[in-house]
Amino acid sequence: MRYLSWIITLPLTALAISFAVSNLTPVQLALWPLVGSVEVPAFALVLVTLVVGFFAGGLTVWLGHHSHRRAARQHQARADRLQKELDAARAPKPVDTP
């Protein structure tokens, strides 16, 4: 699995570096209701947008699976409780001697 990660990561890193070196031209960014603008390299605009989109997608998936994680915790708690009851029922009972 570690090798697969490197096989995917190295070409993507090389592609990102090549993209960054090829797109050094400054781009002017302005947000309509705000006054002023900012100049950033074109590669920074694209890469920051990709990173923000990656984290936004991850957050969306994480929030979407909240109900599944909660149900899994509830099922695990129930399974643990039932296992304790089963262990208690299987335990040898002390014999009363008069």
Side-chain angles (χ1 to χ4, degrees):
M1 191 67 171
R2 183 180 302 177
Y3 296 117
L4 180 62
S5 174
W6 282 105
I7 290 172
I8 293 171
T9 303
L10 288 177
L12 286 176
T13 303
L15 184 67
I17 291 171
S18 174
F19 178 77
V21 170
S22 301
N23 293 291
L24 293 173
T25 307
V27 177
Q28 188 175 14
L29 300 176
L31 189 57
W32 170 69
L34 301 177
V35 178
S37 62
V38 176
E39 280 193 15
V40 296
F43 76 89
L45 175 64
V46 173
L47 293 179
V48 167
T49 303
L50 289 174
V51 168
V52 168
F54 175 79
F55 284 114
L59 179 65
T60 302
V61 169
W62 184 72
L63 291 174
H65 285 95
H66 173 70
S67 61
H68 299 292
R69 288 191 310 275
R70 184 181 60 229
R73 280 192 307 271
Q74 290 172 347
H75 291 308
Q76 186 62 46
R78 182 171 185 256
D80 292 342
R81 181 178 47 83
L82 291 174
Q83 184 64 46
K84 285 181 185 177
E85 289 179 14
L86 181 62
D87 292 342
R90 286 184 177 169
K93 306 262 192 256
V95 177
D96 289 335
T97 56

